[in-house]
Amino acid sequence: MSVVGAWPRVPEGLHARVPAEQRGPGLGRDSVRLLLSRGTEVSHHAFRELPVLLRAGDLLVVNTSRTLPAAVDGRLGHARVVVHFSTRGADGRWAVELRDPDGRGTTRARAGGPAGATVRFPGGVSLVWEEPLAAESRRLWWVRVAGDVPALLRRHGRPIRYRYTDRDQPLAAHQTVFALPSADGAGSAEMPSAGRPFTAAMVAELVTRGVQFAPVTLHTGVASQEAHEPPYPEPFEVPGASAALINAARAGGGRVIAVGTTAVRAVESAAGADGVVRAASGRTELVMTPERGVRVVDGLLTGLHEPEASHLLMLEAVAGRAAIERGYAEAVRRLYLWHEFGDVHLILRSENNDREHCKGNAQ
């Protein structure tokens, strides 16, 4: 195990290369492992044990964003390129990432631009590069698109695929059981992957045990492979009914557990300084840090991902650095699988912190 700072680098053999249901006969989406961190105490479980790890009155906040077939082949001059459509801006422009095909079915990084350059797609759709999203990075650019992007993605797009996977997967493999279609075709460039292991049967069992669900939406863009790249606004919505469910769970002493970092960002973006969640929608660029802390969530179910600054800061904000360091070290030691098709990590406050949190809610 190599270490960057205090964080382990993921050994090559621990990348989840195919979805769980493709690893052997009789396996399903829920055939993954679950690492439970409660404070600095760690235990190991099958994901199918989740209903007995939660309790009546707990509430899971889930992201209903649908994964888009966001990767499309195009031409930049005479060169073949791949464009990852990341996020539609409020002004109608798109944030996109430009990639080069690597000859093995995946892609490698390529700087976007220059301004004024044109990428052409099938069906007469084209985009023109305008400006980078951030002066310090040329990975993501704002572009103007001539044509219907949702139709282009439906007809010619495919899910974004990364180098550690064995092969392309159908779009259905990148959808969670919580995904809902959007009237305007909006969605996420990458799957809200913490929700992937859930099945309809698992949801039904949780409900029968008294665990509730609060749907929210955050359409996430293409994840940064570069630490410290600044965030940009992403569309989110917390409906009034979900806000009421969250507030009621907290008032009743239940734990609010976000399924995925996107769910954390959505619900925390809708929370006031008093910790009350209100209906909200718009765009958020909230970055969760230990200094800011979390106002609403008591826990987080998340995948295991490469160490990256903003992601790990959010985990620390929920549980503290010592808990996350211990959990990641255990995940490497016990050979958990990483990334969107991999195992999951349930991070809860310690029982003492839980009681203090509940006391604070009641005051």
Side-chain angles (χ1 to χ4, degrees):
M1 178 179 72
S2 61
V3 175
V4 178
W7 302 110
R9 277 288 178 202
V10 184
E12 187 63 28
L14 298 187
H15 299 291
R17 301 191 178 281
V18 296
E21 62 271 22
Q22 296 178 18
R23 293 181 200 142
L27 299 181
R29 280 177 173 243
D30 56 356
S31 300
V32 297
R33 300 164 68 193
L34 185 150
L35 174 70
L36 172 59
S37 292
R38 186 187 292 278
T40 55
E41 297 178 5
V42 173
S43 57
H44 305 277
H45 307 269
F47 178 75
R48 289 172 178 169
E49 296 176 59
L50 181 65
V52 300
L53 298 175
L54 302 181
R55 58 196 186 213
D58 287 344
L59 181 141
L60 296 176
V61 182
V62 297
N63 188 359
T64 63
S65 182
R66 192 169 178 82
T67 309
L68 299 175
V72 187
D73 294 326
R75 291 276 175 182
L76 178 58
H78 295 293
R80 182 182 165 227
V81 295
V82 178
V83 174
H84 291 170
F85 284 82
S86 187
T87 300
R88 188 177 187 273
D91 60 0
R93 296 188 299 176
W94 278 82
V96 304
E97 180 185 39
L98 186 65
R99 310 281 293 185
D100 279 327
D102 66 0
R104 299 188 299 275
T106 55
T107 59
R108 54 179 174 264
R110 171 177 176 153
T118 300
V119 174
R120 303 191 184 280
F121 301 104
V125 178
S126 62
L127 63 79
V128 177
W129 303 92
E130 291 200 338
E131 59 183 338
L133 268 69
E136 58 269 43
S137 172
R138 296 176 67 83
R139 183 180 74 93
L140 290 168
W141 280 63
W142 288 116
V143 301
R144 290 279 178 192
V145 182
D148 186 337
V149 173
L152 173 71
L153 301 186
R154 284 195 305 271
R155 293 170 190 158
H156 302 286
R158 61 186 178 277
I160 291 173
R161 178 186 161 197
Y162 291 105
R163 59 172 178 78
Y164 48 79
T165 57
D166 280 350
R167 55 184 175 272
D168 287 340
Q169 295 291 337
L171 184 59
H174 292 262
Q175 303 294 9
T176 74
V177 72
F178 307 111
L180 295 173
S182 175
D184 62 357
S188 290
E190 296 179 346
M191 173 175 52
S193 56
R196 189 183 192 279
F198 285 86
T199 63
M202 167 75 79
V203 172
E205 182 179 356
L206 286 164
V207 170
T208 63
R209 288 175 175 267
V211 176
Q212 294 183 295
F213 290 82
V216 300
T217 302
L218 187 140
H219 298 310
T220 187
V222 180
S224 171
Q225 304 302 311
E226 307 165 26
H228 307 295
E229 187 173 281
Y232 63 96
E234 293 175 321
F236 83 101
E237 180 181 10
V238 176
S242 293
L245 283 168
I246 293 166
N247 294 330
R250 298 182 75 226
R255 297 174 297 185
V256 176
I257 300 168
V259 178
T261 56
T262 58
V264 176
R265 290 187 67 216
V267 74
E268 292 286 336
S269 295
D274 56 1
V276 176
V277 179
R278 299 170 177 85
S281 63
R283 293 172 185 272
T284 181
E285 49 192 314
L286 177 65
V287 176
M288 305 302 306
T289 66
E291 292 73 29
R292 190 256 189 203
V294 291
R295 297 169 178 171
V296 179
V297 301
D298 303 294
L300 169 62
L301 180 72
T302 182
L304 294 160
H305 302 282
E306 294 278 6
E308 184 272 318
S310 62
H311 175 77
L312 291 175
L313 287 174
M314 179 185 291
L315 305 192
E316 286 183 43
V318 173
R321 185 177 182 90
I324 305 308
E325 284 182 351
R326 173 76 188 279
Y328 264 59
E330 278 291 294
V332 171
R333 188 177 72 83
R334 295 289 291 263
L335 305 181
Y336 278 71
L337 294 180
W338 253 249
H339 305 300
E340 68 268 28
F341 297 136
D343 298 316
V344 291
H345 188 187
L346 177 57
I347 302 165
L348 300 174
R349 288 187 171 97
S350 68
E351 287 293 347
N352 287 340
N353 286 344
D354 220 18
R355 284 193 289 273
E356 288 303 314
H357 186 62
C358 288
K359 257 193 258 179
N361 290 347
Q363 289 173 355

mmCIF file of all heavy atoms in Angstrom, residues 66-106:
data_model
loop_
_atom_site.group_PDB
_atom_site.id
_atom_site.type_symbol
_atom_site.label_atom_id
_atom_site.label_comp_id
_atom_site.label_asym_id
_atom_site.label_seq_id
_atom_site.Cartn_x
_atom_site.Cartn_y
_atom_site.Cartn_z
ATOM 1 N N ARG A 66 -31.003 10.793 -12.845
ATOM 2 C CA ARG A 66 -30.815 9.714 -13.799
ATOM 3 C C ARG A 66 -29.470 9.886 -14.506
ATOM 4 O O ARG A 66 -29.072 11.010 -14.833
ATOM 5 C CB ARG A 66 -31.951 9.751 -14.820
ATOM 6 C CG ARG A 66 -32.067 8.541 -15.706
ATOM 7 C CD ARG A 66 -33.397 8.591 -16.467
ATOM 8 N NE ARG A 66 -33.513 7.458 -17.372
ATOM 9 C CZ ARG A 66 -33.899 6.253 -17.021
ATOM 10 N NH1 ARG A 66 -34.202 6.014 -15.753
ATOM 11 N NH2 ARG A 66 -33.983 5.275 -17.896
ATOM 12 N N THR A 67 -28.759 8.801 -14.722
ATOM 13 C CA THR A 67 -27.459 8.864 -15.403
ATOM 14 C C THR A 67 -27.671 9.043 -16.897
ATOM 15 O O THR A 67 -28.480 8.342 -17.517
ATOM 16 C CB THR A 67 -26.641 7.593 -15.154
ATOM 17 O OG1 THR A 67 -26.597 7.337 -13.746
ATOM 18 C CG2 THR A 67 -25.226 7.744 -15.689
ATOM 19 N N LEU A 68 -26.943 9.979 -17.490
ATOM 20 C CA LEU A 68 -27.030 10.249 -18.920
ATOM 21 C C LEU A 68 -26.001 9.429 -19.695
ATOM 22 O O LEU A 68 -24.923 9.130 -19.171
ATOM 23 C CB LEU A 68 -26.772 11.735 -19.191
ATOM 24 C CG LEU A 68 -27.729 12.734 -18.555
ATOM 25 C CD1 LEU A 68 -27.244 14.159 -18.822
ATOM 26 C CD2 LEU A 68 -29.146 12.546 -19.084
ATOM 27 N N PRO A 69 -26.303 9.092 -20.937
ATOM 28 C CA PRO A 69 -25.265 8.541 -21.824
ATOM 29 C C PRO A 69 -24.414 9.708 -22.331
ATOM 30 O O PRO A 69 -24.545 10.168 -23.466
ATOM 31 C CB PRO A 69 -26.084 7.880 -22.941
ATOM 32 C CG PRO A 69 -27.365 8.650 -22.976
ATOM 33 C CD PRO A 69 -27.627 9.140 -21.582
ATOM 34 N N ALA A 70 -23.529 10.184 -21.465
ATOM 35 C CA ALA A 70 -22.925 11.510 -21.627
ATOM 36 C C ALA A 70 -21.674 11.545 -22.492
ATOM 37 O O ALA A 70 -21.133 12.623 -22.743
ATOM 38 C CB ALA A 70 -22.600 12.083 -20.249
ATOM 39 N N ALA A 71 -21.171 10.388 -22.949
ATOM 40 C CA ALA A 71 -19.966 10.350 -23.793
ATOM 41 C C ALA A 71 -20.369 10.199 -25.253
ATOM 42 O O ALA A 71 -21.105 9.271 -25.607
ATOM 43 C CB ALA A 71 -19.071 9.191 -23.379
ATOM 44 N N VAL A 72 -19.886 11.101 -26.098
ATOM 45 C CA VAL A 72 -20.252 11.093 -27.518
ATOM 46 C C VAL A 72 -18.998 11.261 -28.366
ATOM 47 O O VAL A 72 -18.159 12.124 -28.089
ATOM 48 C CB VAL A 72 -21.261 12.218 -27.852
ATOM 49 C CG1 VAL A 72 -21.760 12.070 -29.287
ATOM 50 C CG2 VAL A 72 -22.434 12.227 -26.886
ATOM 51 N N ASP A 73 -18.874 10.448 -29.417
ATOM 52 C CA ASP A 73 -17.769 10.586 -30.372
ATOM 53 C C ASP A 73 -18.016 11.779 -31.284
ATOM 54 O O ASP A 73 -19.148 12.020 -31.741
ATOM 55 C CB ASP A 73 -17.641 9.326 -31.231
ATOM 56 C CG ASP A 73 -17.224 8.110 -30.420
ATOM 57 O OD1 ASP A 73 -16.460 8.276 -29.458
ATOM 58 O OD2 ASP A 73 -17.676 6.993 -30.760
ATOM 59 N N GLY A 74 -16.957 12.531 -31.557
ATOM 60 C CA GLY A 74 -17.065 13.664 -32.457
ATOM 61 C C GLY A 74 -15.781 13.866 -33.226
ATOM 62 O O GLY A 74 -14.829 13.079 -33.109
ATOM 63 N N ARG A 75 -15.754 14.937 -34.007
ATOM 64 C CA ARG A 75 -14.576 15.292 -34.801
ATOM 65 C C ARG A 75 -14.170 16.723 -34.510
ATOM 66 O O ARG A 75 -14.973 17.648 -34.564
ATOM 67 C CB ARG A 75 -14.885 15.175 -36.297
ATOM 68 C CG ARG A 75 -15.099 13.739 -36.764
ATOM 69 C CD ARG A 75 -13.773 13.075 -37.071
ATOM 70 N NE ARG A 75 -13.924 11.671 -37.418
ATOM 71 C CZ ARG A 75 -12.925 10.862 -37.692
ATOM 72 N NH1 ARG A 75 -11.683 11.327 -37.674
ATOM 73 N NH2 ARG A 75 -13.119 9.597 -37.986
ATOM 74 N N LEU A 76 -12.891 16.883 -34.172
ATOM 75 C CA LEU A 76 -12.290 18.197 -33.999
ATOM 76 C C LEU A 76 -11.300 18.346 -35.143
ATOM 77 O O LEU A 76 -10.196 17.789 -35.108
ATOM 78 C CB LEU A 76 -11.595 18.294 -32.642
ATOM 79 C CG LEU A 76 -10.865 19.611 -32.317
ATOM 80 C CD1 LEU A 76 -11.805 20.796 -32.380
ATOM 81 C CD2 LEU A 76 -10.195 19.526 -30.954
ATOM 82 N N GLY A 77 -11.727 19.062 -36.189
ATOM 83 C CA GLY A 77 -10.952 19.048 -37.422
ATOM 84 C C GLY A 77 -10.983 17.641 -37.993
ATOM 85 O O GLY A 77 -12.051 17.057 -38.182
ATOM 86 N N HIS A 78 -9.788 17.065 -38.226
ATOM 87 C CA HIS A 78 -9.714 15.690 -38.731
ATOM 88 C C HIS A 78 -9.528 14.669 -37.615
ATOM 89 O O HIS A 78 -9.501 13.467 -37.881
ATOM 90 C CB HIS A 78 -8.551 15.575 -39.732
ATOM 91 C CG HIS A 78 -8.748 16.397 -40.971
ATOM 92 N ND1 HIS A 78 -9.732 16.138 -41.896
ATOM 93 C CD2 HIS A 78 -8.081 17.494 -41.428
ATOM 94 C CE1 HIS A 78 -9.671 17.023 -42.875
ATOM 95 N NE2 HIS A 78 -8.674 17.869 -42.616
ATOM 96 N N ALA A 79 -9.397 15.135 -36.395
ATOM 97 C CA ALA A 79 -9.106 14.227 -35.279
ATOM 98 C C ALA A 79 -10.397 13.694 -34.672
ATOM 99 O O ALA A 79 -11.372 14.432 -34.481
ATOM 100 C CB ALA A 79 -8.297 14.947 -34.207
ATOM 101 N N ARG A 80 -10.389 12.415 -34.346
ATOM 102 C CA ARG A 80 -11.504 11.822 -33.618
ATOM 103 C C ARG A 80 -11.331 12.117 -32.140
ATOM 104 O O ARG A 80 -10.239 11.921 -31.573
ATOM 105 C CB ARG A 80 -11.548 10.309 -33.845
ATOM 106 C CG ARG A 80 -12.728 9.651 -33.151
ATOM 107 C CD ARG A 80 -12.747 8.147 -33.327
ATOM 108 N NE ARG A 80 -13.665 7.553 -32.354
ATOM 109 C CZ ARG A 80 -13.425 6.518 -31.590
ATOM 110 N NH1 ARG A 80 -12.256 5.908 -31.665
ATOM 111 N NH2 ARG A 80 -14.322 6.060 -30.743
ATOM 112 N N VAL A 81 -12.372 12.620 -31.492
ATOM 113 C CA VAL A 81 -12.332 12.948 -30.077
ATOM 114 C C VAL A 81 -13.587 12.385 -29.408
ATOM 115 O O VAL A 81 -14.532 11.969 -30.072
ATOM 116 C CB VAL A 81 -12.256 14.479 -29.836
ATOM 117 C CG1 VAL A 81 -10.943 15.041 -30.360
ATOM 118 C CG2 VAL A 81 -13.459 15.185 -30.465
ATOM 119 N N VAL A 82 -13.565 12.365 -28.084
ATOM 120 C CA VAL A 82 -14.739 11.999 -27.293
ATOM 121 C C VAL A 82 -15.059 13.184 -26.396
ATOM 122 O O VAL A 82 -14.169 13.730 -25.735
ATOM 123 C CB VAL A 82 -14.490 10.741 -26.447
ATOM 124 C CG1 VAL A 82 -15.727 10.411 -25.598
ATOM 125 C CG2 VAL A 82 -14.126 9.557 -27.338
ATOM 126 N N VAL A 83 -16.309 13.585 -26.403
ATOM 127 C CA VAL A 83 -16.749 14.690 -25.549
ATOM 128 C C VAL A 83 -17.621 14.124 -24.432
ATOM 129 O O VAL A 83 -18.559 13.365 -24.691
ATOM 130 C CB VAL A 83 -17.526 15.749 -26.357
ATOM 131 C CG1 VAL A 83 -18.111 16.810 -25.420
ATOM 132 C CG2 VAL A 83 -16.616 16.405 -27.387
ATOM 133 N N HIS A 84 -17.298 14.494 -23.195
ATOM 134 C CA HIS A 84 -18.127 14.165 -22.038
ATOM 135 C C HIS A 84 -18.973 15.386 -21.709
ATOM 136 O O HIS A 84 -18.443 16.425 -21.300
ATOM 137 C CB HIS A 84 -17.271 13.789 -20.836
ATOM 138 C CG HIS A 84 -16.545 12.496 -20.995
ATOM 139 N ND1 HIS A 84 -15.564 12.073 -20.101
ATOM 140 C CD2 HIS A 84 -16.656 11.510 -21.924
ATOM 141 C CE1 HIS A 84 -15.113 10.887 -20.486
ATOM 142 N NE2 HIS A 84 -15.753 10.535 -21.587
ATOM 143 N N PHE A 85 -20.283 15.283 -21.907
ATOM 144 C CA PHE A 85 -21.185 16.368 -21.554
ATOM 145 C C PHE A 85 -21.409 16.331 -20.049
ATOM 146 O O PHE A 85 -21.928 15.361 -19.510
ATOM 147 C CB PHE A 85 -22.507 16.225 -22.307
ATOM 148 C CG PHE A 85 -22.421 16.636 -23.746
ATOM 149 C CD1 PHE A 85 -21.931 15.753 -24.706
ATOM 150 C CD2 PHE A 85 -22.802 17.908 -24.143
ATOM 151 C CE1 PHE A 85 -21.840 16.136 -26.038
ATOM 152 C CE2 PHE A 85 -22.710 18.298 -25.473
ATOM 153 C CZ PHE A 85 -22.231 17.410 -26.430
ATOM 154 N N SER A 86 -21.023 17.412 -19.362
ATOM 155 C CA SER A 86 -20.991 17.394 -17.905
ATOM 156 C C SER A 86 -22.231 18.035 -17.286
ATOM 157 O O SER A 86 -22.973 17.386 -16.566
ATOM 158 C CB SER A 86 -19.722 18.096 -17.407
ATOM 159 O OG SER A 86 -19.573 17.951 -16.021
ATOM 160 N N THR A 87 -22.457 19.305 -17.545
ATOM 161 C CA THR A 87 -23.559 20.026 -16.897
ATOM 162 C C THR A 87 -24.054 21.130 -17.819
ATOM 163 O O THR A 87 -23.252 21.826 -18.449
ATOM 164 C CB THR A 87 -23.090 20.665 -15.571
ATOM 165 O OG1 THR A 87 -22.626 19.640 -14.698
ATOM 166 C CG2 THR A 87 -24.215 21.434 -14.889
ATOM 167 N N ARG A 88 -25.374 21.296 -17.881
ATOM 168 C CA ARG A 88 -25.959 22.403 -18.636
ATOM 169 C C ARG A 88 -26.019 23.622 -17.732
ATOM 170 O O ARG A 88 -26.545 23.561 -16.622
ATOM 171 C CB ARG A 88 -27.363 22.041 -19.126
ATOM 172 C CG ARG A 88 -27.971 23.063 -20.081
ATOM 173 C CD ARG A 88 -29.335 22.592 -20.572
ATOM 174 N NE ARG A 88 -29.872 23.464 -21.609
ATOM 175 C CZ ARG A 88 -30.596 24.551 -21.361
ATOM 176 N NH1 ARG A 88 -30.862 24.890 -20.112
ATOM 177 N NH2 ARG A 88 -31.046 25.285 -22.359
ATOM 178 N N GLY A 89 -25.450 24.726 -18.197
ATOM 179 C CA GLY A 89 -25.424 25.944 -17.409
ATOM 180 C C GLY A 89 -26.739 26.687 -17.444
ATOM 181 O O GLY A 89 -27.614 26.427 -18.295
ATOM 182 N N ALA A 90 -26.897 27.642 -16.546
ATOM 183 C CA ALA A 90 -28.132 28.423 -16.473
ATOM 184 C C ALA A 90 -28.348 29.255 -17.735
ATOM 185 O O ALA A 90 -29.486 29.605 -18.067
ATOM 186 C CB ALA A 90 -28.090 29.330 -15.245
ATOM 187 N N ASP A 91 -27.270 29.562 -18.456
ATOM 188 C CA ASP A 91 -27.379 30.376 -19.668
ATOM 189 C C ASP A 91 -27.530 29.543 -20.935
ATOM 190 O O ASP A 91 -27.478 30.067 -22.046
ATOM 191 C CB ASP A 91 -26.160 31.298 -19.804
ATOM 192 C CG ASP A 91 -24.842 30.530 -19.882
ATOM 193 O OD1 ASP A 91 -24.871 29.278 -19.826
ATOM 194 O OD2 ASP A 91 -23.780 31.179 -19.990
ATOM 195 N N GLY A 92 -27.705 28.225 -20.794
ATOM 196 C CA GLY A 92 -27.892 27.357 -21.957
ATOM 197 C C GLY A 92 -26.611 26.745 -22.482
ATOM 198 O O GLY A 92 -26.671 25.832 -23.310
ATOM 199 N N ARG A 93 -25.467 27.238 -22.026
ATOM 200 C CA ARG A 93 -24.210 26.615 -22.430
ATOM 201 C C ARG A 93 -24.032 25.285 -21.694
ATOM 202 O O ARG A 93 -24.704 25.011 -20.709
ATOM 203 C CB ARG A 93 -23.026 27.538 -22.131
ATOM 204 C CG ARG A 93 -23.045 28.835 -22.913
ATOM 205 C CD ARG A 93 -21.748 29.621 -22.731
ATOM 206 N NE ARG A 93 -21.503 30.001 -21.335
ATOM 207 C CZ ARG A 93 -20.414 30.616 -20.907
ATOM 208 N NH1 ARG A 93 -19.448 30.926 -21.764
ATOM 209 N NH2 ARG A 93 -20.270 30.943 -19.634
ATOM 210 N N TRP A 94 -23.102 24.479 -22.197
ATOM 211 C CA TRP A 94 -22.763 23.214 -21.541
ATOM 212 C C TRP A 94 -21.320 23.246 -21.068
ATOM 213 O O TRP A 94 -20.439 23.779 -21.764
ATOM 214 C CB TRP A 94 -22.939 22.038 -22.505
ATOM 215 C CG TRP A 94 -24.357 21.554 -22.609
ATOM 216 C CD1 TRP A 94 -25.350 22.087 -23.383
ATOM 217 C CD2 TRP A 94 -24.934 20.454 -21.895
ATOM 218 N NE1 TRP A 94 -26.517 21.378 -23.206
ATOM 219 C CE2 TRP A 94 -26.299 20.370 -22.305
ATOM 220 C CE3 TRP A 94 -24.450 19.531 -20.969
ATOM 221 C CZ2 TRP A 94 -27.162 19.396 -21.804
ATOM 222 C CZ3 TRP A 94 -25.304 18.564 -20.473
ATOM 223 C CH2 TRP A 94 -26.644 18.506 -20.887
ATOM 224 N N ALA A 95 -21.091 22.676 -19.897
ATOM 225 C CA ALA A 95 -19.734 22.388 -19.450
ATOM 226 C C ALA A 95 -19.375 21.008 -19.976
ATOM 227 O O ALA A 95 -20.122 20.046 -19.767
ATOM 228 C CB ALA A 95 -19.652 22.404 -17.926
ATOM 229 N N VAL A 96 -18.261 20.915 -20.698
ATOM 230 C CA VAL A 96 -17.872 19.640 -21.300
ATOM 231 C C VAL A 96 -16.400 19.358 -21.028
ATOM 232 O O VAL A 96 -15.612 20.266 -20.740
ATOM 233 C CB VAL A 96 -18.120 19.615 -22.827
ATOM 234 C CG1 VAL A 96 -19.578 19.921 -23.161
ATOM 235 C CG2 VAL A 96 -17.188 20.572 -23.559
ATOM 236 N N GLU A 97 -16.049 18.086 -21.146
ATOM 237 C CA GLU A 97 -14.664 17.639 -21.025
ATOM 238 C C GLU A 97 -14.268 16.966 -22.336
ATOM 239 O O GLU A 97 -15.011 16.121 -22.842
ATOM 240 C CB GLU A 97 -14.535 16.647 -19.870
ATOM 241 C CG GLU A 97 -13.115 16.120 -19.668
ATOM 242 C CD GLU A 97 -13.057 15.042 -18.587
ATOM 243 O OE1 GLU A 97 -13.978 14.214 -18.523
ATOM 244 O OE2 GLU A 97 -12.077 15.032 -17.821
ATOM 245 N N LEU A 98 -13.130 17.334 -22.880
ATOM 246 C CA LEU A 98 -12.638 16.747 -24.120
ATOM 247 C C LEU A 98 -11.656 15.622 -23.800
ATOM 248 O O LEU A 98 -10.788 15.769 -22.927
ATOM 249 C CB LEU A 98 -11.924 17.819 -24.956
ATOM 250 C CG LEU A 98 -11.480 17.405 -26.357
ATOM 251 C CD1 LEU A 98 -12.678 17.102 -27.252
ATOM 252 C CD2 LEU A 98 -10.616 18.500 -26.984
ATOM 253 N N ARG A 99 -11.796 14.485 -24.503
ATOM 254 C CA ARG A 99 -10.938 13.328 -24.273
ATOM 255 C C ARG A 99 -10.461 12.777 -25.619
ATOM 256 O O ARG A 99 -11.114 12.938 -26.652
ATOM 257 C CB ARG A 99 -11.704 12.223 -23.539
ATOM 258 C CG ARG A 99 -12.441 12.649 -22.299
ATOM 259 C CD ARG A 99 -11.551 12.798 -21.107
ATOM 260 N NE ARG A 99 -10.983 11.534 -20.659
ATOM 261 C CZ ARG A 99 -10.247 11.398 -19.565
ATOM 262 N NH1 ARG A 99 -9.972 12.450 -18.810
ATOM 263 N NH2 ARG A 99 -9.764 10.222 -19.215
ATOM 264 N N ASP A 100 -9.331 12.094 -25.578
ATOM 265 C CA ASP A 100 -8.818 11.366 -26.748
ATOM 266 C C ASP A 100 -9.117 9.883 -26.600
ATOM 267 O O ASP A 100 -8.913 9.317 -25.515
ATOM 268 C CB ASP A 100 -7.300 11.537 -26.878
ATOM 269 C CG ASP A 100 -6.908 12.842 -27.538
ATOM 270 O OD1 ASP A 100 -7.658 13.299 -28.421
ATOM 271 O OD2 ASP A 100 -5.861 13.400 -27.160
ATOM 272 N N PRO A 101 -9.581 9.205 -27.652
ATOM 273 C CA PRO A 101 -9.693 7.736 -27.575
ATOM 274 C C PRO A 101 -8.307 7.143 -27.357
ATOM 275 O O PRO A 101 -7.316 7.619 -27.902
ATOM 276 C CB PRO A 101 -10.244 7.352 -28.956
ATOM 277 C CG PRO A 101 -10.759 8.615 -29.560
ATOM 278 C CD PRO A 101 -9.958 9.730 -28.967
ATOM 279 N N ASP A 102 -8.227 6.086 -26.533
ATOM 280 C CA ASP A 102 -6.915 5.490 -26.250
ATOM 281 C C ASP A 102 -6.689 4.179 -26.999
ATOM 282 O O ASP A 102 -5.679 3.507 -26.786
ATOM 283 C CB ASP A 102 -6.725 5.279 -24.748
ATOM 284 C CG ASP A 102 -7.678 4.256 -24.156
ATOM 285 O OD1 ASP A 102 -8.501 3.689 -24.907
ATOM 286 O OD2 ASP A 102 -7.612 4.018 -22.933
ATOM 287 N N GLY A 103 -7.647 3.790 -27.864
ATOM 288 C CA GLY A 103 -7.500 2.568 -28.639
ATOM 289 C C GLY A 103 -7.876 1.306 -27.892
ATOM 290 O O GLY A 103 -7.842 0.217 -28.458
ATOM 291 N N ARG A 104 -8.273 1.427 -26.606
ATOM 292 C CA ARG A 104 -8.659 0.260 -25.814
ATOM 293 C C ARG A 104 -10.091 0.365 -25.310
ATOM 294 O O ARG A 104 -10.487 -0.323 -24.397
ATOM 295 C CB ARG A 104 -7.698 0.104 -24.619
ATOM 296 C CG ARG A 104 -6.236 -0.114 -25.022
ATOM 297 C CD ARG A 104 -5.377 -0.443 -23.820
ATOM 298 N NE ARG A 104 -5.372 0.636 -22.847
ATOM 299 C CZ ARG A 104 -4.553 1.690 -22.894
ATOM 300 N NH1 ARG A 104 -3.669 1.800 -23.873
ATOM 301 N NH2 ARG A 104 -4.608 2.625 -21.961
ATOM 302 N N GLY A 105 -10.852 1.278 -25.910
ATOM 303 C CA GLY A 105 -12.239 1.440 -25.518
ATOM 304 C C GLY A 105 -12.458 2.487 -24.450
ATOM 305 O O GLY A 105 -13.597 2.805 -24.119
ATOM 306 N N THR A 106 -11.379 3.021 -23.885
ATOM 307 C CA THR A 106 -11.497 4.102 -22.918
ATOM 308 C C THR A 106 -10.836 5.348 -23.504
ATOM 309 O O THR A 106 -10.564 5.414 -24.705
ATOM 310 C CB THR A 106 -10.868 3.703 -21.567
ATOM 311 O OG1 THR A 106 -9.505 3.292 -21.774
ATOM 312 C CG2 THR A 106 -11.630 2.561 -20.928
#
